Amino acid sequence: MGADAEGPGAPPSDPFPWPRPATDQLPPQYAALRSSTPVANAAFATGERVWLLTRHDDVCRVLADARASSEHSHPGFPALFPVARHRDADGAPPLLTYSGMDPPEHTHHRRTVADEFGVRQIARLRPWVERVVDEHIDVLEAGGRPGDLVATLADPVPASVISELLGVPETEQALVQRLSREVLSHRGRPEEVDAASARLHQLVTDLVHAKRAEPTDDLLGRLVAKYLARGDFDHAQMVQLTGALLTAGHETTASMISLGVVALLQHGDAWDELVGDRGLVGGAVDELLRLLSIADVVTARVALADIEVGPATIPVGAGLIALTGAANHDPEVFPNPEVLDIHRDGRGHVAFGHGVHKCLGQHLARLELEVVLDRLLARLPGLRLAARPTPPTGPGRTVFHGIDEVLVTW
């Protein structure tokens, strides 16, 4: 389309979201839009239209704008999550709607949870996370060469960490991991996604009941106790919160572990430099978060009023996506953005989002990424790819950018 009421310029004709040409590259349409039509109107394969923001300044400004709502149940909200508008037989919302709250409700719950994810609280977990990671590196080594980094390390480490933190029984942790992925799946049929959502909802419901009946000193147990002591415990809301922590708490970190290691190994000089100086790992993690931007499309919003962004006006009721990957590759902010540079000051990246919905678990995710890289560099300095990974040719396994298998040797 040309410059008309729906927006200036002509966005790519292929349905959104667009595939990535390589595991460490973004869709080329992002750069084209950023230079010609930074606020563009595109379409999903369903025909539903969505506004896309591609410049760093625009992304940050709109994500901090109260008129850009995160409420998933709004009819104009982009249908990125398969269960975003689903309701079960009792009319209960899906597990993902906690992240879709707006202030003041969102503020109330975030403040309750935030203390558990503060910098100092998370830093205390490092020795334990190191033990968890070492145990899974043991499994990788024991399995022989080549080994699958996804199956033995990237997937199980974050799942174990968030499950243990929440107090999920060990016997149910593998099931939680599988159901969480199915709830977010872009490959499953709608009935399969609904079935996984219902089963996970029941599992979390039972877990919350157990924590209320017998308080425990774990993350979920403490949260239940806080709400009860304050007199505003709501069982359904606690189920929503717990489900959101479970589903978001391991899938993103799992994808970052696998893709981050791949990126470093594909740039062997960076890997070798980190082997020689593991003190650079913290900066490397920020650069990998910026470069890969795996949660690129989840910063979806719906306009509660007309929002002017440059020459465009996003009309009230329209869905929009502030593309954090495009923002993280904006050359006005990050020179040579396609280049992996572990010495870059990448602290201005928006891989964790921006504004009131900036990722609650960012410090935990950083810790897990740092520990995994540090322990791999220390124990398997000769790690290398046994086969060249390729991004999925069809839908990714979830709404987050990810990869199914990474074969490595050492």
Side-chain angles (χ1 to χ4, degrees):
M1 70 178 182
D4 56 25
E6 290 189 302
S13 58
D14 293 337
F16 182 84
W18 304 304
R20 299 190 179 203
T23 54
D24 62 348
Q25 296 177 21
L26 297 180
Q29 293 92 333
Y30 289 6
L33 287 179
R34 195 189 309 109
S35 62
S36 65
T37 318
V39 183
N41 193 271
F44 292 107
T46 60
E48 179 182 356
R49 304 203 68 83
V50 64
W51 289 81
L52 304 177
L53 284 69
T54 54
R55 287 184 178 169
H56 189 276
D57 287 350
D58 292 340
V59 164
C60 290
R61 186 157 58 85
V62 170
L63 289 179
D65 193 325
R67 297 172 299 172
S69 170
S70 296
E71 179 51 62
H72 288 175
S73 64
H74 191 289
F77 191 87
L80 284 167
F81 296 106
V83 297
R85 296 173 189 157
H86 171 78
R87 292 290 185 273
D88 65 20
D90 297 323
L95 291 172
L96 291 173
T97 55
Y98 174 74
S99 63
M101 293 178 183
D102 287 332
E105 186 181 15
H106 171 267
T107 307
H108 170 73
H109 293 291
R110 185 178 177 105
R111 285 175 177 169
T112 304
V113 180
D115 287 347
E116 298 285 347
F117 289 94
V119 175
R120 284 176 292 185
Q121 288 81 355
I122 295 301
R124 296 191 188 106
L125 301 177
R126 183 176 287 270
W128 168 62
V129 174
E130 288 175 342
R131 289 194 297 272
V132 172
V133 171
D134 275 330
E135 288 171 2
H136 286 89
I137 294 178
D138 290 343
V139 173
L140 174 64
E141 289 186 294
R145 292 172 280 192
D148 181 7
L149 192 80
V150 174
T152 59
L153 187 70
D155 276 352
V157 164
S160 296
V161 168
I162 193 62
S163 295
E164 286 289 336
L165 284 177
L166 286 169
V168 177
E170 186 175 354
T171 55
E172 295 180 333
Q173 290 181 10
L175 177 60
V176 165
Q177 178 182 349
R178 178 175 65 80
L179 291 175
S180 296
R181 179 161 301 130
E182 290 176 3
V183 166
L184 296 171
S185 176
H186 272 192
R187 296 173 180 167
R189 296 189 300 273
E191 60 270 23
E192 294 173 337
V193 174
D194 284 352
S197 180
R199 190 171 182 190
L200 184 59
H201 189 280
Q202 187 58 56
L203 186 154
V204 174
T205 296
D206 294 343
L207 183 62
V208 171
H209 274 309
K211 299 297 179 183
R212 185 175 186 182
E214 188 174 340
T216 52
D217 188 22
D218 49 51
L219 173 57
L220 181 54
R222 291 191 295 272
L223 288 177
V224 169
K226 284 183 183 179
Y227 279 99
L228 286 172
R230 204 166 57 196
D232 61 350
F233 177 85
D234 182 295
H235 177 80
Q237 186 59 64
M238 185 58 63
V239 170
Q240 299 298 306
L241 168 58
T242 307
L245 292 172
L246 280 172
T247 52
H250 75 260
E251 184 63 30
T252 48
T253 308
S255 292
M256 270 304 306
I257 290 172
S258 55
L259 290 169
V261 171
V262 167
L264 290 172
L265 293 178
Q266 287 180 328
H267 299 79
D269 54 341
W271 178 266
D272 292 342
E273 189 172 0
L274 289 170
V275 169
D277 185 358
R278 302 207 318 269
L280 297 173
V281 165
V285 165
D286 264 321
E287 173 65 351
L288 290 169
L289 287 163
R290 181 203 67 80
L291 180 75
L292 298 170
S293 296
I294 63 161
D296 175 46
V297 300
V298 302
T299 40
R301 301 288 189 268
V302 60
L304 299 182
D306 289 353
I307 302 176
E308 293 185 3
V309 188
T313 298
I314 301 175
V316 59
L320 65 97
I321 300 176
L323 292 169
T324 55
N328 285 336
H329 284 236
D330 187 337
E332 294 295 320
V333 181
F334 305 104
N336 301 315
E338 310 303 324
V339 175
L340 172 65
D341 179 2
I342 62 174
H343 298 283
R344 186 196 303 270
D345 182 358
R347 288 174 293 180
H349 72 73
V350 288
F352 289 116
H354 183 76
V356 298
H357 281 283
K358 189 172 184 179
C359 178
L360 182 67
Q362 61 176 305
H363 302 306
L364 178 60
R366 286 180 193 275
L367 173 64
E368 292 179 66
L369 290 167
E370 288 178 10
V371 169
V372 167
L373 286 181
D374 181 75
R375 300 309 299 148
L376 282 175
L377 290 161
R379 294 185 53 179
L380 300 175
L383 190 71
R384 61 188 185 276
L385 295 172
R388 184 176 179 83
T390 56
T393 55
R397 65 182 191 176
T398 71
V399 70
F400 307 109
H401 175 48
I403 195 168
D404 295 314
E405 182 182 71
V406 176
L407 296 179
V408 293
T409 188
W410 50 91

